Amino acid sequence: MKERLSNSEKLVELTNELPDFCAAILIGRKAERELSTRVGYARDLCLYFDYLIANHKDFAGKTKKTITAYDMRNISPMDVDMFLTYFAEAHSPSTVKRIKSAMSAMFNLLVDYMQVLEYNPVKGAQKIKIPEKDFVIYLTKDEQEALLQTIKYGTGLTKRQMAYHSKFQKRDLAMVFLFLDTGIRVSEMQGLDMDDLDMD
């Protein structure tokens, strides 16, 4: 069975597939974005470059690794729109907005940091509208209690699920209490290290 990679290992693996200039935003500027965000950006950029190679005449015959920063001068806002329209066919607006953010971050790097482009073509592309939620969904006291009972005692679990229950009970209880008491996001919890916790 293949050993599961940590986020750091995933990031390095994905970055090694991408054009060399992408390393500056994914690894070199680590303080600007959470690790999980950078892993998501790396996945999104892999999809974007695969699309360019398959659909853009200036990238035909290239591989992700042979694309240079100067090749990106061939991308126009219309090219970005075409990709986003293609991508939106199979993805939700929030996913399309996320991949657009990854692309924009990459083009900003090429404009501001590497100075090989004069403008960011993503800025001229279509806006992604995401319907705003008018309310926050939260657990009632009874729902919280039912969740905690399941974690503490295995209430409602099948025999198969109970086999794993004792192994992960303390971890799951600690995580759920942290979620309920602080409102922390999953990505924020994922980024926590032992050094971030004040055990006193």
Side-chain angles (χ1 to χ4, degrees):
M1 190 163 114
K2 190 177 178 183
E3 191 175 320
R4 192 171 175 189
L5 298 177
S6 70
N7 271 348
S8 296
E9 291 168 327
K10 285 180 200 169
L11 183 62
V12 170
E13 191 175 82
L14 288 164
T15 302
N16 286 337
E17 292 178 31
L18 289 164
D20 291 340
F21 61 85
C22 291
I25 190 169
L26 297 173
I27 295 175
R29 308 181 115 194
K30 60 185 179 181
E32 294 180 7
R33 291 177 180 84
E34 289 286 335
L35 178 58
S36 57
T37 301
R38 287 181 282 133
V39 170
Y41 275 17
R43 285 190 182 114
D44 291 340
L45 291 174
C46 280
L47 290 172
Y48 179 56
F49 286 113
D50 284 338
Y51 169 86
L52 286 179
I53 291 164
N55 297 286
H56 196 291
K57 63 180 176 58
D58 295 316
F59 293 84
K62 288 189 173 281
T63 66
K64 289 192 285 271
K65 281 312 274 184
T66 61
I67 293 172
T68 68
Y70 292 97
D71 290 328
M72 302 310 290
R73 291 174 169 177
N74 297 316
I75 303 298
S76 69
M78 184 185 292
D79 293 323
V80 174
D81 277 340
M82 287 174 67
F83 169 72
L84 293 175
T85 300
Y86 161 83
F87 190 74
E89 289 178 10
H91 297 87
S92 68
S94 59
T95 304
V96 177
K97 189 166 187 171
R98 188 198 69 218
I99 200 167
K100 186 180 177 188
S101 293
M103 292 164 59
S104 188
M106 176 192 66
F107 280 109
N108 280 338
L109 173 90
L110 294 170
V111 172
D112 301 328
Y113 180 68
M114 299 183 75
Q115 299 182 349
V116 295
L117 299 183
E118 292 182 12
Y119 71 99
N120 178 345
V122 176
K123 290 184 178 176
Q126 62 186 298
K127 302 279 187 261
I128 310 295
K129 292 184 181 177
I130 299 177
E132 288 189 28
K133 294 178 181 174
D134 294 335
F135 56 92
V136 175
I137 299 171
Y138 61 92
L139 296 177
T140 64
K141 290 286 185 194
D142 289 340
E143 290 168 333
Q144 288 181 35
E145 188 57 37
L147 175 61
L148 293 172
Q149 290 299 315
T150 299
I151 296 169
K152 285 180 186 174
Y153 307 111
T155 308
L157 297 180
T158 65
K159 282 187 178 182
R160 184 181 171 120
Q161 291 168 330
M162 282 297 287
Y164 293 96
H165 175 258
S166 60
K167 183 176 180 182
F168 298 113
Q169 177 197 22
K170 288 182 179 177
R171 179 204 68 181
D172 293 349
L173 200 56
M175 288 171 59
V176 169
F177 270 123
L178 190 59
F179 282 132
L180 293 174
D181 290 346
T182 65
I184 193 171
R185 294 181 174 130
V186 173
S187 60
E188 292 169 334
M189 178 178 283
Q190 187 179 15
L192 285 178
D193 293 319
M194 289 299 292
D195 295 341
D196 297 325
L197 304 176
D198 180 354
M199 302 307 280
D200 295 329

